Amino acid sequence: MKKLISLKDNIFIAGASGMVGSSIYRTLKKAGYGQRKYGGEIFTPSRKELDLLDFSSVSDWFQKFRPTVVIVAAGKVGGINANANQPADFILENLKIQNNVIEIAWKNKVKRLLFLGSSCIYPKFAQQPLKEEYLLNNSLEPTNEWYAIAKIAGIKLCQALRIQYGFDAISLMPTNLYGSGDNYKSAESHILPALIRKFDEAKRNNSDSVICWGSGNPLREFLHVDDLGKACLYVLENWDPSSKNSPLDENNYPLAFLNVGSGEEVTIKKLAELISSEFGFKGSIIWDTTKPDGTPRKLLNVEKIKEIGWEPEIDLEYGIRETIKSYKSELKNETLRF
């Protein structure tokens, strides 16, 4: 089957310096994209080079560089604490970034666009595992609703442009991600990098205990970012929502977005124990139940993306081990985002 993008394409990764964007870049390069001998190029402008919050700047950049494929991996991200303290920033910045890039890509006749959302788009108490059809059928988790609403708007913008104008925009909804290049800042990090930092510091400081937020009982699914990078390339090359063989929802309508995850879940308590073990930490783990747990369970149904031929490859224990190696390397080289 003919691939939907080619090595001749000029690919723009919005958010290329982040954990997700850098993984997508590595995946594309490994697959042969961005080589001038084939006529293609990969654009990875920094924030200084391109302010995605500025519509005029983005428009001028598209006019100058003319990308043919766009991947929207940019956005303001963070954990429960960051979402709670910066609700306006989370909704405003994410809406501006994605609306600017998606609208301008459409106006410049980009041939394919991939928008990356998040599994937090689903209702807090939706049936598990979460199917694509559950979007908007109930209320969101309050601790990250600002970010979730922005991501839902991005999905719907892509879908609306496809329906009204035939713009070839697709979306993926990743589960919780981890891996090389993560954010380890105390006030901004997600659960897995936050635990890596906690146990590393406890080990180095010979601490007797580590305090973790919540009860430790919520269940979470994790996907290594390099698996997501491969999923992004796979759907760009192979998934055409308008194809007769494309996944359909329960009403037999073509799906405009697909879940992407490992299909497996673990308690936060078990996750902490895995990370603690990797660091050789012998102290106790104390759970501060005065802190919020967030959503009790969040497992994606990934049957639809598997239906088109994609499967995750990296299991959690191996992935954590490799992530800790990259964390230590980044710490040693002083490139860690603390």
Side-chain angles (χ1 to χ4, degrees):
M1 185 175 72
K2 184 180 178 181
K3 291 180 179 178
L4 299 172
I5 64 172
S6 77
L7 300 182
K8 295 180 180 179
D9 277 308
N10 293 322
I11 303 173
F12 168 39
I13 306 174
S17 63
M19 177 177 70
V20 172
S22 58
S23 177
I24 294 170
Y25 176 79
R26 292 193 300 271
T27 302
L28 289 169
K29 292 294 286 186
K30 189 174 181 181
Y33 289 88
Q35 296 188 37
R36 291 189 176 179
K37 65 180 179 181
Y38 298 128
E41 192 167 351
I42 301 175
F43 301 114
T44 59
S46 67
R47 290 181 184 179
K48 288 183 178 180
E49 294 168 322
L50 176 60
D51 181 4
L52 297 176
L53 292 166
D54 186 301
F55 187 90
S56 295
S57 295
V58 178
S59 183
D60 290 345
W61 188 92
F62 268 76
Q63 289 288 324
K64 181 177 180 180
F65 292 99
R66 296 288 180 183
T68 55
V69 175
V70 171
I71 302 167
V72 188
K76 182 176 179 62
V77 298
I80 289 176
N81 189 51
N83 272 268
N85 293 324
Q86 306 164 50
D89 292 348
F90 269 85
I91 193 165
L92 268 175
E93 290 187 27
N94 283 297
L95 283 172
K96 285 180 181 179
I97 289 168
Q98 65 202 34
N99 288 354
N100 288 348
V101 176
I102 295 168
E103 181 182 359
I104 292 167
W106 161 60
K107 286 183 173 178
N108 282 270
K109 298 182 174 18
V110 164
K111 77 174 190 180
R112 292 220 92 186
L113 179 141
L114 171 62
F115 173 71
L116 293 175
S118 165
S119 59
C120 71
I121 62 168
Y122 292 110
K124 179 174 182 176
F125 294 110
Q127 184 179 341
Q128 305 280 331
L130 298 160
K131 292 184 178 182
E132 287 87 349
E133 293 90 339
Y134 298 164
L135 180 65
L136 295 176
N137 72 1
N138 213 321
S139 57
L140 298 166
E141 160 59 43
T143 57
N144 59 17
E145 65 179 339
W146 318 104
Y147 178 76
I149 288 169
K151 288 299 180 182
I152 291 168
I155 300 165
K156 288 300 180 181
L157 176 56
C158 288
Q159 187 178 13
L161 288 169
R162 174 177 283 277
I163 292 169
Q164 187 172 348
Y165 296 107
F167 181 49
D168 190 6
I170 57 175
S171 301
L172 285 181
M173 297 304 110
T175 190
N176 300 292
L177 300 169
Y178 70 101
S180 175
D182 211 336
N183 187 342
Y184 296 90
K185 289 181 180 178
S186 298
E188 300 177 8
S189 60
H190 290 97
I191 182 63
L192 198 150
L195 289 172
I196 286 176
R197 178 174 179 176
K198 277 179 180 286
F199 285 105
D200 173 54
E201 291 180 345
K203 176 68 175 178
R204 287 192 283 118
N205 295 331
N206 295 312
S207 301
D208 294 327
S209 62
V210 167
I211 299 174
C212 298
W213 277 29
S215 66
N217 295 324
L219 289 159
R220 290 291 181 271
E221 174 187 23
F222 294 94
L223 181 75
H224 195 281
V225 71
D226 288 349
D227 269 339
L228 175 62
K230 293 172 186 174
C232 290
L233 177 56
Y234 188 86
V235 297
L236 280 168
E237 289 183 334
N238 300 290
W239 177 39
D240 176 5
S242 62
S243 167
K244 64 179 181 179
N245 297 319
S246 183
L248 305 174
D249 66 18
E250 292 177 343
N251 296 313
N252 289 322
Y253 290 114
L255 283 166
F257 69 97
L258 297 176
N259 291 335
V260 54
S262 64
E264 299 177 354
E265 56 189 342
V266 63
T267 64
I268 299 300
K269 193 171 289 185
K270 177 64 175 176
L271 179 69
E273 290 168 356
L274 283 171
I275 294 170
S276 171
S277 176
E278 285 298 325
F279 279 107
F281 177 70
K282 303 300 182 183
S284 59
I285 302 174
I286 299 169
W287 293 94
D288 181 358
T289 55
T290 66
K291 302 297 185 183
D293 269 340
T295 305
R297 187 185 183 207
K298 193 167 65 173
L299 176 67
L300 293 182
N301 182 311
V302 291
E303 290 178 1
K304 299 299 186 183
I305 195 167
K306 287 185 175 182
E307 188 181 309
I308 64 170
W310 177 85
E311 294 269 359
E313 299 173 0
I314 302 171
D315 69 71
L316 185 60
E317 288 192 35
Y318 176 80
I320 288 174
R321 196 171 302 125
E322 291 302 300
T323 301
I324 290 172
K325 285 181 184 177
S326 68
Y327 164 88
K328 289 179 177 178
S329 175
E330 290 172 53
L331 185 63
K332 183 178 179 182
N333 296 324
E334 299 182 340
T335 58
L336 211 56
R337 289 187 288 167
F338 264 2

